[in-house]
Amino acid sequence: MLSRRCLRLHGVRRLHASRALRQREPFDASKVERMAEEVDVCIVGAGPAGLSAAIRLKQLEQESGREIRVVVLEKASEVGAHIVSGAAIEPRALNELLPDWQSRPGHPLTQPATSSSMLFLTRTRAIPMPHPPQMGNKGNYVLSLSQFVSWLGGIAEEMGVEVYPGFAGASLLYNEQGDGVRGVVTNDVGLDRQMRMKDSFEPGMEFVAKVTLLAEGAHGSLTKTAVKNFNLRANADPQTYGFGVKEVWRIPEDKWVPGKVVHTLGYPVDYKTYAGSFLYHMADRLVHLGLVVGLDYANPYMSPYREFQKLKHHPYFADILSGGERIAYAARVLNEGGLQSIPKLHFPGGALLGCSAGFLNVPKIKGTHNAMKSGMVAAEAAFEAIKQESESPADMTAYEDNMKKSWVWDELREVRNIRPSFNTPLGIWGGMAYSGVDSMLLKGRVPWTFRNKISDAAHTKRASECKPIDYPPFQPPLSTDLLTSLALTGTNHAEDQPVHLRLPPGPEAHKAHVQKNVGEYGGLLGRACPAGVYEYVEEEGKPSEGSWEGKKLVINSQNCIHCKLCDVKVPTQDITWTVPEGGGGPKYSASASAFQRITA
Amino acid sequence: MRPTAIRQLKVLVAVKRTIDYAVKIRVNPSQTGVDTNVKHSMNPFDEIAVEEAVKLRERGVNVESIRVITLGQTKASEILRTALAMGADHATHVELPDGADMPEPLGVAKALAAYVKREPVDIVILGKQAIDDDAGQTGQMLAGLLGWSQGTFASKLDVDEASKTAVVVREIDGGGEEIRCKLPLVLTTDLRCNVTVPRYASLPNIMKARKKPIEKLTAQDLGVDLSPRLETIKVSEPPKRVGGGKVENVDQLVEKLKAAGVV
């Protein structure tokens, strides 16, 4: 289309920048003046946890008559655009938050789950196997989490919550003593790649809040700094993660079984790798399917993306998908650490909600209901803290205490040993054996708790100790190359902004990164990133600073889909994911028209 | 129709809510259109139009007010808020019933002409085309209906208030065409119009813009009939490109050409 080609001329417009490049001033964070807004509660992240907290706060406002100003910041360009899940939602928390949800117009819970089954895949066969009772889905709904969150966002706004999509929480505001959080600063915009101020420079705003709730989803960027600064992990295991790669397909009528929920184990990974797939049939002939791989995988040659593409050629999946049309692609890390990896949930002035804390129930592969409940409990504690009207940072201890007394904790306690049981030399066989016994008989009522001893990155073996994996070539339309899939995410970031994937400063750090990652780990990120952001390339001509033995790291940050895999899995643990300019990133909407959206 | 006293210019910018340019579009299952269940934003050329209006004021031209107007369903008010946050003063939403057909350029032009008769302005700025229909007609039709000068595909605008004229540089094949237009003027903006990219709507401005009222009108209020005159029969994707093949040498090429019956 002519217009889209015209838009790519945006690059040409660089030539017309009115301020000569050499006149741009470098950005100095200490000198910038920011506008400040005072609010009662600032929530970072408009996902299930954040929005449930916001809605609950407004309910408390209505019940008690005490006004409370609630602001929700969301880095996506619209609410729901950055969230990924299967999803098969347990409505338990929704029933508590909005008991009348069934009578609300436009709710997306229109497709109940009709059956649940589990299959063990060999290369050619799909063998039915019994599944733990937690993986049943009676009473649950299959839907697009993007649409669910978008619906919740509408409700929050109706109730008077100020939701600001396109604005990311970039850093925490600390009080003078440095021992408490007093709010959030949004991202600065209009910096160029060298961190100088362009004409369009606008400093981020300060939201000074009595309570700051971090609901950024798994491995949140502000959460990471809060955990570090307040040493929240002192008595908890490191968080461990899974990585989900998914697609949405529209399939022929005869293959479609609305409400059918299927999970698989086995192919395409070996018994030592923790991975499983999901396939959910939604409304409108749409299926959501994906592969979740434990990020504690050892072989640096593995590419979760290519494993997923391989999976689709298995006869079971190929049969369902052939004749269908691929509509969407997405990827995101998710928590697998369970109870053992939940850090201290609060710090002076704030708290961690939802997947930022890590409430996902791994055997169920469900975290939305727990996230929502945590949002509600946090809201109640925040409301009480605000009523105190104290000068010191808000004390959110009640949030943690109440979470420990809630059904979330009961659930997580029951299943706490299941995921770690896969981490023995027996791999998935040991895991399935133990899980079978634990989930059906013991239900976690044992005196022992398996721990997550080391981080996912530390599980990675050296490339020299592992066999390279020979992935089959792509066979469109069933499997495609990565960049073709990436186009479906709609991801985009404004040009000429600082690279948001940060290594430690200086060419020495770059060099050390390339040396270890290429020299010892086979260029892991180049294989694992689902968006083609990281490339370890041969340098042509004179070696630049930061290169090692003729190789350098190229970061194509505009491709990023905000999945956080790099921050979790890079063996050198020297990449920090920070927020890019707000509004950038993927535009997931999962055209699962479970309900008809009003569109222009 | 008498133009307003030029001492203070009144500017109207017309904007449209379209599918976001980064989204991969897809034909809907019934082949009647594209799947609209995706992210929408202000048409990029209209962003440039709003930016040009705000820049006009910043350049020192005596602009009394910048009004922004859109025709669209309920959600179209989102882009009006963005325009207000970018610096527009007043917003009008001509509301279309949800589920109505997308209005055609002639209908939009008629509605804008009717609006201009109610609220006289000196300059109407539009984007040169919308990225959903690529029609590129509304500005020209509007100028025709009003009997005004038109400067289309503009990459530069210079207003001389004293002589009530404007110099517009138009993008044409092979370069730029400079024309002098008498006000009142209809301008449609091309890509290079703003010297720098449209500004971000900063959060403080967005927060202020949320409090500004938006005037709501209907097609009946303006006395225009927006019923479509064109019927879309079918929308389909372009045929998939069949991959080419590589040949090793000239003999193979000749073989393939013969097999294709070309030689």
Side-chain angles (χ1 to χ4, degrees):
Chain A
M1 272 172 72
L2 178 68
S3 58
R4 286 175 206 274
R5 256 182 280 139
C6 278
L7 286 164
R8 263 166 233 145
L9 287 175
H10 256 270
V12 175
R13 300 177 65 187
R14 292 289 139 257
L15 301 171
H16 297 262
S18 63
R19 180 180 290 197
L21 290 183
R22 59 186 147 73
Q23 286 175 1
R24 286 189 188 159
E25 282 171 36
F27 173 63
D28 184 350
S30 61
K31 296 215 188 95
V32 70
E33 268 185 46
R34 299 182 192 283
M35 279 198 56
E37 282 280 320
E38 278 198 31
V39 305
D40 290 303
V41 182
C42 183
I43 302 175
V44 181
L51 291 173
S52 297
I55 291 173
R56 186 84 193 100
L57 281 167
K58 284 297 178 178
Q59 287 173 341
L60 291 167
E61 175 188 77
Q62 284 168 6
E63 285 163 31
S64 67
R66 190 202 191 282
E67 274 192 28
I68 185 162
R69 185 175 180 198
V70 182
V71 161
V72 178
L73 301 175
E74 169 54 53
K75 63 175 163 61
S77 51
E78 59 179 12
V79 172
H82 282 188
I83 195 155
V84 187
S85 180
I89 297 221
E90 206 179 286
R92 186 171 188 180
L94 183 62
N95 292 338
E96 288 182 24
L97 181 69
L98 299 169
D100 63 347
W101 62 262
Q102 298 197 307
S103 58
R104 285 175 184 260
H107 75 77
L109 293 91
T110 52
Q111 181 59 62
T114 51
S115 69
S116 292
S117 58
M118 198 141 171
L119 298 169
F120 187 83
L121 300 180
T122 64
R123 210 165 49 82
T124 50
R125 296 170 62 204
I127 307 163
M129 56 181 272
H131 60 77
Q134 296 92 345
M135 293 193 78
N137 277 285
K138 193 147 174 278
N140 295 343
Y141 294 86
V142 285
L143 47 70
S144 148
L145 196 56
S146 269
Q147 303 248 328
F148 180 73
V149 160
S150 178
W151 172 69
L152 274 187
I155 294 178
E157 285 198 298
E158 273 171 38
M159 295 178 77
V161 175
E162 292 172 63
V163 184
Y164 295 116
F167 293 94
S171 54
L172 293 171
L173 268 179
Y174 292 92
N175 61 8
E176 262 184 51
Q177 301 89 315
D179 62 357
V181 167
R182 62 183 185 89
V184 173
V185 186
T186 62
N187 54 283
D188 303 307
V189 294
L191 290 173
D192 69 11
R193 251 179 137 89
Q194 283 76 34
M195 294 287 255
R196 294 174 305 194
M197 298 185 284
K198 301 189 280 194
D199 277 345
S200 51
F201 175 73
E202 289 273 353
M205 248 181 89
E206 284 184 358
F207 282 96
V208 178
K210 303 192 181 93
V211 179
T212 302
L213 299 178
L214 301 182
E216 301 170 292
H219 207 72
S221 41
L222 290 183
T223 304
K224 190 175 171 186
T225 62
V227 165
K228 184 156 153 270
N229 291 343
F230 294 101
N231 203 12
L232 299 177
R233 232 170 239 301
N235 295 321
D237 289 349
Q239 184 62 261
T240 64
Y241 298 89
F243 183 61
V245 186
K246 75 171 273 198
E247 291 175 2
V248 180
W249 285 66
R250 182 165 269 126
I251 57 174
E253 190 95 33
D254 54 327
K255 305 281 168 60
W256 175 54
V257 183
K260 182 170 175 184
V261 169
V262 176
H263 291 107
T264 77
L265 278 182
Y267 184 86
V269 296
D270 63 23
Y271 77 95
K272 285 202 186 295
T273 307
Y274 181 83
S277 81
F278 61 89
L279 177 76
Y280 302 155
H281 294 244
M282 310 236 172
D284 292 333
R285 292 193 288 120
L286 291 172
V287 290
H288 288 229
L289 72 151
L291 181 70
V292 179
V293 178
L295 278 184
D296 57 352
Y297 69 79
N299 187 342
Y301 289 108
M302 184 152 93
S303 160
Y305 175 80
R306 298 206 71 154
E307 298 287 348
F308 177 53
Q309 299 304 313
K310 209 166 130 186
L311 174 75
K312 286 187 286 171
H313 285 284
H314 184 282
Y316 179 78
F317 288 94
D319 176 54
I320 295 177
L321 298 177
S322 47
E325 187 202 348
R326 186 174 64 167
I327 288 187
Y329 163 75
R332 184 77 169 89
V333 301
L334 47 93
N335 306 110
E336 287 192 344
L339 199 71
Q340 300 87 310
S341 296
I342 297 178
K344 184 162 176 230
L345 291 176
H346 65 100
F347 44 86
L352 307 178
L353 271 54
C355 282
S356 286
F359 298 121
L360 190 121
N361 181 325
V362 183
K364 275 189 189 177
I365 348 175
K366 290 179 182 17
T368 307
H369 60 307
N370 292 342
M372 291 178 72
K373 179 66 172 171
S374 75
M376 293 159 64
V377 175
E380 286 156 11
F383 199 72
E384 288 304 309
I386 290 173
K387 277 189 352 197
Q388 307 286 336
E389 310 229 356
S390 117
E391 282 300 310
S392 41
D395 183 355
M396 290 286 285
T397 312
Y399 163 57
E400 180 149 0
D401 292 343
N402 289 336
M403 281 303 288
K404 291 189 168 149
K405 294 185 209 145
S406 72
W407 47 258
V408 174
W409 229 256
D410 293 335
E411 244 191 65
L412 294 178
R413 189 181 301 115
E414 183 184 313
V415 301
R416 71 190 184 284
N417 284 325
I418 293 190
R419 172 65 179 96
S421 70
F422 284 77
N423 275 351
T424 70
L426 296 171
I428 62 170
W429 305 120
M432 290 201 287
Y434 183 88
S435 308
V437 175
D438 196 20
S439 59
M440 300 203 207
L441 289 174
L442 302 170
K443 296 205 192 288
R445 288 178 295 241
V446 296
W448 58 78
T449 299
F450 300 144
R451 312 233 52 124
N452 302 314
K453 298 195 198 77
I454 59 176
S455 71
D456 290 330
H459 267 111
T460 321
K461 291 205 176 107
R462 293 199 159 62
S464 51
E465 298 167 36
C466 302
K467 247 179 49 156
I469 303 179
D470 208 4
Y471 286 106
F474 300 111
Q475 290 166 258
L478 205 48
S479 59
T480 61
D481 66 286
L482 190 133
L483 291 178
T484 306
S485 301
L486 184 66
L488 292 174
T489 63
T491 193
N492 194 32
H493 293 89
E495 295 166 341
D496 201 19
Q497 58 170 298
V499 172
H500 65 280
L501 305 154
R502 304 271 164 91
L503 270 95
E508 282 307 307
H510 264 257
K511 186 164 172 199
H513 171 97
V514 181
Q515 177 176 10
K516 265 234 144 185
N517 278 280
V518 176
E520 294 179 40
Y521 292 99
L524 183 147
L525 286 183
R527 299 172 202 277
C529 171
V533 170
Y534 297 95
E535 292 182 292
Y536 293 99
V537 295
E538 294 287 342
E539 261 202 312
E540 282 159 39
K542 208 170 76 128
S544 63
E545 291 190 314
S547 71
W548 172 79
E549 293 205 359
K551 295 202 181 42
K552 65 172 182 172
L553 170 65
V554 173
I555 301 181
N556 303 310
S557 53
Q558 71 278 10
N559 287 6
C560 182
I561 56 176
H562 299 211
C563 76
K564 315 295 177 72
L565 177 139
C566 52
D567 197 319
V568 171
K569 188 61 175 172
V570 64
T572 38
Q573 283 293 283
D574 54 0
I575 292 195
T576 304
W577 193 95
T578 64
V579 287
E581 281 182 6
K587 294 183 166 74
Y588 301 135
S589 63
S591 328
S593 319
F595 67 101
Q596 277 306 307
R597 282 178 71 181
I598 298 166
T599 53
Chain B
M1 198 208 70
R2 290 186 58 223
T4 52
I6 293 300
R7 207 98 25 102
Q8 290 233 288
L9 281 182
K10 290 193 174 148
V11 179
L12 176 69
V13 184
V15 296
K16 184 180 185 186
R17 181 175 181 262
T18 58
I19 294 181
D20 186 280
Y21 78 88
V23 167
K24 191 163 202 299
I25 54 169
R26 197 180 357 267
V27 177
N28 64 22
S30 48
Q31 293 206 315
T32 51
V34 298
D35 183 7
T36 50
N37 205 358
V38 294
K39 170 99 178 64
H40 284 63
S41 324
M42 193 191 300
N43 179 36
F45 293 105
D46 298 348
E47 262 183 23
I48 295 175
V50 174
E51 176 68 16
E52 187 57 24
V54 178
K55 279 225 161 66
L56 196 62
R57 177 183 262 161
E58 288 175 352
R59 286 205 280 272
V61 173
N62 218 334
V63 174
E64 178 194 312
S65 68
I66 300 174
R67 294 175 158 264
V68 66
I69 183 170
T70 192
L71 273 83
Q73 299 177 3
T74 324
K75 285 198 164 210
S77 54
E78 286 167 8
I79 61 165
L80 291 176
R81 296 257 172 242
T82 307
L84 287 170
M86 283 170 76
D89 306 307
H90 182 273
T92 303
H93 184 178
V94 181
E95 274 189 306
L96 304 175
D98 290 326
D101 295 303
M102 186 164 73
E104 294 164 3
L106 183 58
V108 175
K110 285 183 178 171
L112 292 177
Y115 183 78
V116 165
K117 292 194 166 71
R118 284 160 68 114
E119 284 290 341
V121 295
D122 305 295
I123 304 181
V124 181
I125 311 182
L126 303 89
K128 71 170 180 181
Q129 65 197 65
I131 62 171
D132 49 13
D133 60 15
D134 275 342
Q137 300 163 7
T138 310
Q140 292 87 330
M141 287 176 169
L142 177 61
L145 287 172
L146 291 172
W148 288 13
S149 336
Q150 55 175 288
T152 53
F153 308 101
S155 62
K156 199 161 187 293
L157 170 70
D158 271 313
V159 176
D160 181 359
E161 295 148 272
S163 62
K164 300 180 195 169
T165 61
V167 172
V168 176
V169 177
R170 303 180 59 234
E171 300 253 0
I172 58 173
D173 293 341
E177 177 192 41
E178 208 174 289
I179 55 175
R180 186 182 306 279
C181 316
K182 275 196 265 199
L183 297 184
L185 164 72
V186 173
L187 189 84
T188 73
T189 52
D190 203 324
L191 205 57
R192 271 180 257 257
C193 200
N194 315 137
V195 182
T196 56
V197 293
R199 67 201 57 209
Y200 296 99
S202 71
L203 188 47
N205 285 342
I206 289 184
M207 292 168 80
K208 279 190 229 140
R210 284 197 176 189
K211 301 196 181 95
K212 289 192 192 165
I214 292 184
E215 181 189 5
K216 303 257 186 207
L217 295 173
T218 63
Q220 285 95 299
D221 293 336
L222 294 172
V224 288
D225 173 20
L226 293 177
S227 37
R229 294 174 177 217
L230 304 172
E231 183 199 337
T232 301
I233 299 178
K234 185 170 158 196
V235 178
S236 58
E237 293 201 6
K240 293 247 180 319
R241 266 199 74 196
V242 180
K246 272 190 177 170
V247 292
E248 301 289 319
N249 53 43
V250 178
D251 292 325
Q252 270 195 18
L253 174 61
V254 175
E255 244 180 71
K256 289 217 184 254
L257 289 175
K258 282 191 178 156
V262 177
V263 170

